[in-house]
Amino acid sequence: MLIDTPSIEHLSNVISQVAGPAFLLAAEAQLLSVLVSRLDRIVDRSRELADLSDEDAQAHRKVELPILRKRAVLVHRSIYWGVASCIVTCFLVIIAFASALLRLRHEYGAALLFMIAMALFTAALIAFGKEVRLGYSEIDANAVLMRKHGWRREPIPPRID
């Protein structure tokens, strides 16, 4: 038995309806890229601290490692919610096209999936915002630690290309 395929006008309508979720998916992918980059930087900084061996490094580790751990947890949560949002958005697009092919009404399901995707994306942004705030508190903690011990930052040597 042949499936009664939708008209080009109907498919065009579905394509225009999934343009919003497609833009959401692009935003989610960009956020995930930023989050993975931040997680890499947190891991790199943790490794740098672990490699330091002098007494001054002990004070840095005491202050920075707990903050880095909390930041890593927040970034991990944000990545988790962001990936979940991407998955729901992909399901939304798939269901929209499947519904068009099968000539089923999908407005309520699409609306529900879009709201879920936006809620998950919002959760990812909230966790990301908390991580950014914690990152700034880490800068403040380092400044206090440096003043307390009378440390100065070493000047960065000029780059030779």
Side-chain angles (χ1 to χ4, degrees), residues 28-29 31-36 39 71-89 116-128 131:
E28 293 164 340
L31 176 65
L32 288 174
S33 175
V34 168
L35 292 170
V36 168
L39 187 59
R71 287 181 63 196
V73 166
L74 287 170
V75 170
H76 182 265
R77 280 186 195 152
S78 189
I79 290 171
Y80 177 81
W81 294 122
V83 168
S85 180
C86 287
I87 291 169
V88 172
T89 304
I116 292 170
M118 286 302 299
L120 292 167
F121 189 58
T122 302
L125 289 172
I126 289 169
F128 179 51
E131 188 274 331

Side-chain angles (χ1 to χ4, degrees), residues 80-143:
Y80 177 81
W81 294 122
V83 168
S85 180
C86 287
I87 291 169
V88 172
T89 304
C90 289
F91 279 135
L92 170 60
V93 173
I94 291 167
I95 287 172
F97 278 102
S99 297
L101 287 175
L102 299 173
R103 294 190 180 268
L104 299 172
R105 295 191 57 91
H106 65 280
E107 293 84 3
Y108 293 112
L112 179 65
L113 286 174
F114 193 78
M115 290 187 314
I116 292 170
M118 286 302 299
L120 292 167
F121 189 58
T122 302
L125 289 172
I126 289 169
F128 179 51
K130 288 179 179 179
E131 188 274 331
V132 168
R133 185 180 58 201
L134 194 56
Y136 282 118
S137 72
E138 181 182 10
I139 292 169
D140 293 340
N142 277 330

